[in-house]
Amino acid sequence: MDVDNNFPAAKRIITEIQNIINKDPKLKEFDLIIQPENQNKSPVIYRDHCLGLESWCVRHVYKYVYQRLITIRKQLKRQASNETITLLTSALLVNPEVTTFWNMRRELIIDGCLKPNDELKFSAIVLTFKPKCAEIFNYRRWIFSSISKSLSSTDIVLNELSVGLTAASRYPSNYNAWNHCFWFVQKSLENENFSLIAQQWEMSKVWCREHVSDHSCMQYRQRLLKCLVADKRCLQHLECCASKSLLKFFNSDERPKLMRPSEDYFSETIGVTLDELYFNEDLIVTYQSHESLWNHRRFLCYLLVNIYNTDCIKEVLMNNEKRICTNLLKGNELYVKKHVLWFQTALCIPIKLP
Amino acid sequence: MAMETLTRDVPSSMHHHNNSSVSNMKHSYVQLSKTCLDEDAQINKKLPKELLLRIFSYLDVVSLCRCAQVSRSWNVLALDGSNWQKIDLFDFQTDVEGPVIENISHRCGGFLRQISLRGCQSVGDGSLKTLAQCCNYIEYINLNGCKRITDSTSQSLSQYCKKLLSLDIGSCSMVTDLSLKAISDGCPNLTSVNISWCDGITENGVEALAHGCPKLKSFISKGCTRMTTRAISCLAQHCVKLELINLHGCNNIEDEAVIKLANNCNSLKYICFANCSLLTDNCLVALSEQCYQLNTLEVAGCSQFTDIGFLALSKTCHLLEKMDLEECVFITDSTLFHLAMGCPRLEYLSLSHCELITDEGIRHLSTSACASEHLAVLELDNCPLITDASLDHLINCHNLQRIMLYDCQLITRNGIKRLRTHSPNINVHAYFAPVTPPPSTGNSRQHYCRCCAIL
């Protein structure tokens, strides 16, 4: 009651927000609008399917919803009411990092007061404001796993992946977003849907090219690559120029020495990794001094040596890395030296720099 | 716990005193358990059953169910039908399922007068049929939000509960005209009905109701978009005792319906026509000519109403206490002037979105009879012409408790401050953030790191 009297407008503001969210299924964005000056005007701004809240009121509104929600939570009897939903909506828009509030929404879903589809929309809007918030991603995954929505429908999965991608673009090093994507890739692999991983492999390549200093996406690619290498069926849908990379990597005279009975599988897995290695080289040459690229490269080399641990591969890899390090020494001295040192210590491959 | 007791068919038999007679049991324990036997318990010795029953009759559902678990004789007494004349299961809406209702019906039988199952969504036709069959004397039944019920429930009610006075089937979306027909056939004494948000109900159902239940006093049909002028006219013609009518959102209603209502139902006290946007001043004029008892008028969103209508109304309806004129966009200060003159009992007045209202209108209002004694709530949000001068006038309203000023851009913090100094208990609603309490501003220095503080 005390908060109510202190700032009675809070109730009106949160109701307004809830109404907008209920009425507009196409709502796409929420953000705070910096407006320290306070007039007698509604701080809720809604235009072109975007929702804004003026910053002066955030503190007071949050104080109100927080206190109300905690009171409601402390009541032994859980009663789902529209008031709770309205309070939760505003609380989570402003501060999505409170797991308790998300849990309250989970309970409301279980009780049938909230529809899972609407919740996916709502949490997507919250993501536009805090794209890195792990609680939101958890909540979305929970909706899928517990409401037992069939993940087999590719539309749903593709939508989730695009949500993850949008979040990743909005905030650098957004590992949470890529984790979210990978979770769905894993789920689709469990359902024996192998086309998705190939599609993600291509998509993230484009993304990496546009965000060379963001290691989060490369880490996502590393995880994808591990899956690709581990299961032959994943490679089916991959359009790759593996043979070209193979030829480029191994000189023709060395090739026969490498051949083994399981030659097809070998060349494909190695081929994908090599593809990535050459792609990485391109980026390193084009964009100088990005540590993330070198980190990624080290992973690729490590993987290569581990898939097929022969002296031959080590030798070819050594020559290849020597060539690159020599070419790039100017301008990347720090990273090249680190790279050489790592080769020496981790893989026991000596690279001699001129 | 309470629900478990209700679901149980037979009182649980008490086995423990049989066990106490085991041979090697100590003497004292046998004595102790003996005193716990129903017949020997002090309270049962001192109080005759009639008195116990009387005491139980004052208890609520939860306490009764607790008492029912004390002993076998208390179980019989607590669950006696006479204690269960009025039942409200709203607090247990998620727990209430078919068997609960069936047990209640068997226990209560003819005793049951009032039952509210508001929001009990899992209750279906079958259990309500049992209820109607067992409890023929139900007078008041509230089934608001029991979404699973269909016309079959209304048919059972009409068949077995002839004494029904009040029926609430709001938000029961599967209900159709057939329900109202059944009710009109079987429950001629009905005085109050609520069919809000029942999309399936059309004018045919309401006409049947009007014919069959002439004693109707209260008719609520919010959000029934298929309600027509003909239906309301028919209602007006047959149910002349109507005192309360709520047609919120029945946007097909035209003047003719209201004029019929005004002509026939002179004892109307409460009227809500919110969002009936086809209505014009003719309605208000007709009401002012016949319905002098009117005390509540809610006409939010009736945007065709003008000063002329309210002028007529304020000349005759002197008992008006509550008026909601939100979004009656054509009304001006003149309406306020007349209301100030003609409605001395006005307690609640909403003028939200009435954009032509100015300080002058508020001045009239604040100098009137209603202002100084009655006016408690005044809503002025989105009245862009209102300035601080209005607030200064309102200082005269001694009873004012709440005033809404959202989006009145000419209102300033200082104006509100002045009003508050004169009447500190008033609750002013505006978008102004509360003044930050001193501690946060006072301590802000300390948040700087040490080097900044030194500088």
Side-chain angles (χ1 to χ4, degrees):
Chain A
M1 232 29 233
D2 183 31
V3 257
D4 230 23
N5 291 332
N6 200 9
F7 187 48
K11 202 166 179 183
R12 194 180 167 97
I13 292 169
I14 62 170
T15 316
E16 203 176 337
I17 292 176
Q18 182 69 45
N19 286 342
I20 291 172
I21 286 176
N22 288 349
K23 274 185 195 154
D24 186 358
K26 287 183 190 160
L27 195 68
K28 56 183 181 194
E29 220 179 312
F30 169 78
D31 213 333
L32 297 183
I33 293 160
I34 305 302
Q35 174 63 272
E37 289 302 309
N38 169 207
Q39 286 166 331
N40 191 12
K41 209 173 75 177
S42 171
V44 183
I45 291 154
Y46 170 58
R47 202 164 295 153
D48 302 333
H49 302 297
C50 295
L51 181 63
L53 190 63
E54 286 181 359
S55 58
W56 63 264
C57 76
V58 170
R59 193 178 133 174
H60 310 289
V61 169
Y62 189 70
K63 193 176 160 201
Y64 168 75
V65 293
Y66 183 85
Q67 291 186 356
R68 283 291 301 139
L69 280 171
I70 295 299
T71 328
I72 291 174
R73 188 71 176 168
K74 276 183 186 159
Q75 285 167 1
L76 288 175
K77 226 171 119 56
R78 298 273 154 83
Q79 234 176 39
S81 70
N82 285 333
E83 193 210 348
T84 320
I85 297 176
T86 311
L87 288 166
L88 282 173
T89 302
S90 295
L92 289 170
L93 275 177
V94 174
N95 183 9
E97 272 132 15
V98 187
T99 316
T100 308
F101 295 162
W102 287 115
N103 285 342
M104 287 169 87
R105 276 189 105 91
R106 286 186 173 104
E107 281 166 11
L108 289 170
I109 290 191
I110 292 171
D111 291 344
C113 301
L114 288 171
K115 289 181 196 140
N117 272 338
D118 293 346
E119 283 310 283
L120 287 178
K121 270 180 202 148
F122 169 69
S123 55
I125 296 165
V126 187
L127 262 186
T128 61
F129 176 51
K130 291 267 171 89
K132 210 176 175 175
C133 178
E135 280 80 5
I136 310 174
F137 290 116
N138 284 342
Y139 183 60
R140 292 181 79 87
R141 287 198 291 271
W142 176 85
I143 292 177
F144 284 110
S145 53
S146 73
I147 307 301
S148 74
K149 230 180 191 180
S150 59
L151 278 169
S152 50
S153 163
T154 41
D155 280 353
I156 294 169
V157 177
L158 285 179
N159 182 46
E160 271 320 287
L161 291 170
S162 77
V163 166
L165 188 70
T166 325
S169 327
R170 278 175 162 264
Y171 204 102
S173 298
N174 197 344
Y175 288 95
N176 289 333
W178 292 114
N179 270 348
H180 187 67
C181 292
F182 189 70
W183 190 81
F184 281 93
V185 171
Q186 261 181 327
K187 285 280 157 194
S188 69
L189 286 184
E190 278 167 23
N191 291 331
E192 313 228 316
N193 174 5
F194 297 105
S195 59
L196 192 76
I197 191 168
Q199 183 259 341
Q200 283 296 295
W201 182 246
E202 295 303 323
M203 186 281 300
S204 57
K205 187 171 184 176
V206 177
W207 206 90
C208 271
R209 190 181 281 136
E210 289 160 359
H211 302 78
V212 281
S213 59
D214 193 339
H215 188 254
S216 63
C217 177
M218 291 171 205
Q219 195 240 11
Y220 176 59
R221 275 178 82 72
Q222 289 168 12
R223 292 161 84 176
L224 291 180
L225 190 60
K226 276 187 199 161
C227 291
L228 287 170
V229 169
D231 194 335
K232 195 182 170 186
R233 288 173 296 182
C234 297
L235 291 167
Q236 287 166 1
H237 300 274
L238 211 60
E239 249 181 81
C240 70
C241 35
S243 52
K244 231 193 250 172
S245 303
L246 274 176
L247 281 177
K248 198 167 157 193
F249 193 65
F250 303 108
N251 297 325
S252 45
D253 56 314
E254 282 163 336
R255 202 170 152 70
K257 280 196 276 180
L258 287 159
M259 289 305 160
R260 283 277 183 93
S262 59
E263 185 244 338
D264 272 353
Y265 173 49
F266 155 76
S267 68
E268 269 183 24
T269 49
I270 289 266
V272 176
T273 320
L274 286 180
D275 258 1
E276 182 67 3
L277 199 68
Y278 282 115
F279 171 59
N280 178 263
E281 187 187 328
D282 272 356
L283 294 182
I284 288 185
V285 171
T286 326
Y287 307 97
Q288 297 212 332
S289 297
H290 284 282
E291 190 172 19
S292 52
L293 292 172
W294 288 93
N295 288 345
H296 188 48
R297 186 166 193 86
R298 285 205 283 278
F299 168 83
L300 294 171
C301 296
Y302 183 80
L303 188 69
L304 209 55
V305 171
N306 271 283
I307 308 173
Y308 198 70
N309 195 356
T310 61
D311 290 343
C312 173
I313 274 226
K314 280 187 178 175
E315 197 185 318
V316 184
L317 190 63
M318 184 184 79
N319 291 333
N320 190 47
E321 293 307 298
K322 190 179 174 186
R323 172 180 59 83
I324 287 162
C325 289
T326 325
N327 290 345
L328 293 174
L329 192 58
K330 250 186 219 166
N332 294 302
E333 202 165 346
L334 185 69
Y335 298 124
V336 170
K337 280 190 175 155
K338 219 171 155 186
H339 194 59
V340 171
L341 186 67
W342 179 81
F343 256 87
Q344 178 73 53
T345 50
L347 299 180
C348 303
I349 299 175
I351 297 171
K352 278 175 197 159
L353 289 178
Chain B
M1 184 88 104
M3 282 306 116
E4 275 169 26
T5 317
L6 286 180
T7 6
R8 212 176 286 150
D9 284 312
V10 194
S12 60
S13 46
M14 310 281 281
H15 291 295
H16 68 262
H17 53 271
N18 293 338
N19 299 341
S20 68
S21 62
V22 175
S23 59
N24 58 356
M25 209 56 97
K26 281 183 185 171
H27 182 65
S28 59
Y29 181 75
V30 175
Q31 265 199 327
L32 184 73
S33 64
K34 257 189 184 167
T35 55
C36 288
L37 289 182
D38 298 342
E39 313 83 62
D40 300 340
Q42 282 294 319
I43 189 162
N44 292 344
K45 268 187 195 169
K46 300 251 162 151
L47 288 179
K49 282 185 178 169
E50 291 73 18
L51 273 183
L52 274 173
L53 260 182
R54 184 62 182 269
I55 293 171
F56 284 151
S57 70
Y58 293 110
L59 299 181
D60 61 40
V61 176
V62 177
S63 314
L64 274 175
C65 290
R66 284 194 186 130
C67 291
Q69 288 167 324
V70 170
S71 69
R72 182 179 260 183
S73 65
W74 273 38
N75 184 288
V76 174
L77 289 177
L79 297 181
D80 190 81
S82 60
N83 294 327
W84 296 79
Q85 299 186 20
K86 298 178 183 177
I87 304 178
D88 186 350
L89 296 179
F90 177 69
D91 289 339
F92 313 100
Q93 46 180 304
T94 46
D95 308 315
V96 172
E97 283 178 9
V100 178
I101 304 297
E102 278 154 32
N103 282 318
I104 286 179
S105 346
H106 290 302
R107 287 212 164 103
C108 300
F111 282 112
L112 192 65
R113 291 287 183 281
Q114 300 190 4
I115 182 162
S116 168
L117 302 175
R118 187 153 67 95
C120 301
Q121 294 195 17
S122 11
V123 172
D125 287 331
S127 37
L128 284 172
K129 186 170 185 182
T130 320
L131 181 77
Q133 279 171 337
C134 299
C135 314
N136 296 328
Y137 297 103
I138 296 181
E139 289 171 354
Y140 167 98
I141 185 162
N142 186 343
L143 302 172
N144 201 313
C146 300
K147 292 187 175 152
R148 280 176 53 196
I149 67 164
T150 67
D151 293 331
S152 141
T153 292
S154 320
Q155 277 151 5
S156 329
L157 284 173
S158 112
Q159 198 179 341
Y160 300 105
C161 306
K162 303 284 183 194
K163 308 230 173 217
L164 200 63
L165 294 178
S166 166
L167 172 70
D168 186 341
I169 44 172
S171 305
C172 298
S173 43
M174 281 151 82
V175 160
T176 70
D177 287 343
L178 293 177
S179 282
L180 292 190
K181 282 196 178 120
I183 294 293
S184 69
D185 286 339
C187 313
N189 292 324
L190 201 69
T191 56
S192 162
V193 67
N194 183 350
I195 51 167
S196 301
W197 315 108
C198 296
D199 301 328
I201 288 180
T202 69
E203 54 182 13
N204 297 331
V206 177
E207 275 173 36
L209 189 77
H211 283 289
C213 310
K215 294 183 181 169
L216 217 54
K217 279 186 179 170
S218 156
F219 178 81
I220 303 175
S221 69
K222 290 191 231 175
C224 293
T225 43
R226 291 161 79 180
M227 197 61 66
T228 61
T229 304
R230 213 181 86 197
I232 300 302
S233 306
C234 190
L235 201 69
Q237 206 176 335
H238 295 280
C239 310
V240 291
K241 291 183 178 167
L242 268 179
E243 286 177 9
L244 180 153
I245 186 159
N246 189 334
L247 303 174
H248 188 299
C250 302
N251 46 20
N252 292 319
I253 303 293
E254 291 158 322
D255 284 348
E256 197 194 327
V258 182
I259 293 170
K260 280 253 172 67
L261 273 175
N263 290 341
N264 293 319
C265 315
N266 295 338
S267 43
L268 272 171
K269 291 198 176 84
Y270 177 106
I271 288 181
C272 174
F273 296 141
N275 292 325
C276 299
S277 46
L278 299 178
L279 300 183
T280 68
D281 281 338
N282 296 337
C283 301
L284 295 181
V285 173
L287 287 171
S288 72
E289 283 165 0
Q290 308 266 358
C291 305
Y292 307 136
Q293 312 276 325
L294 217 53
N295 75 27
T296 302
L297 182 74
E298 296 181 6
V299 291
C302 297
S303 47
Q304 299 194 45
F305 287 175
T306 69
D307 292 339
I308 300 164
F310 291 106
L311 166 67
L313 205 66
S314 60
K315 281 204 170 138
T316 56
C317 301
H318 302 303
L319 302 179
L320 274 167
E321 285 173 9
K322 183 177 176 191
M323 291 187 84
D324 183 355
L325 314 182
E326 184 175 342
E327 276 190 273
C328 293
V329 286
F330 291 129
I331 65 168
T332 67
D333 293 340
S334 146
T335 292
L336 288 188
F337 178 72
H338 294 299
L339 287 181
M341 302 286 282
C343 307
R345 293 196 179 186
L346 213 52
E347 268 175 38
Y348 170 100
L349 180 63
S350 172
L351 299 166
S352 311
H353 293 275
C354 297
E355 300 186 348
L356 303 176
I357 299 291
T358 70
D359 293 337
E360 188 58 17
I362 303 299
R363 191 178 67 83
H364 285 305
L365 196 68
S366 61
T367 52
S368 69
C370 73
S372 53
E373 286 175 37
H374 296 288
L375 195 66
V377 180
L378 183 62
E379 298 186 356
L380 293 171
D381 49 300
N382 294 288
C383 296
L385 303 177
I386 296 287
T387 71
D388 287 349
S390 286
L391 299 186
D392 294 340
H393 296 314
L394 288 172
I395 288 169
N396 298 327
C397 303
H398 304 296
N399 200 28
L400 202 59
Q401 284 154 20
R402 181 154 57 94
I403 178 165
M404 303 264 253
L405 294 168
Y406 295 116
D407 283 311
C408 300
Q409 311 238 351
L410 299 175
I411 296 286
T412 66
R413 259 177 211 278
N414 287 333
I416 294 176
K417 217 179 194 175
R418 278 205 298 279
L419 182 63
R420 276 219 177 101
T421 48
H422 281 273
S423 25
N425 293 326
I426 202 166
N427 202 342
V428 183
H429 290 230
Y431 281 123
F432 290 118
V435 185
T436 18
S440 57
T441 48
N443 292 343
S444 63
R445 273 270 155 198
Q446 292 172 4
H447 295 306
Y448 289 115
C449 61
R450 190 165 288 173
C451 65
C452 297
I454 293 166
L455 283 172

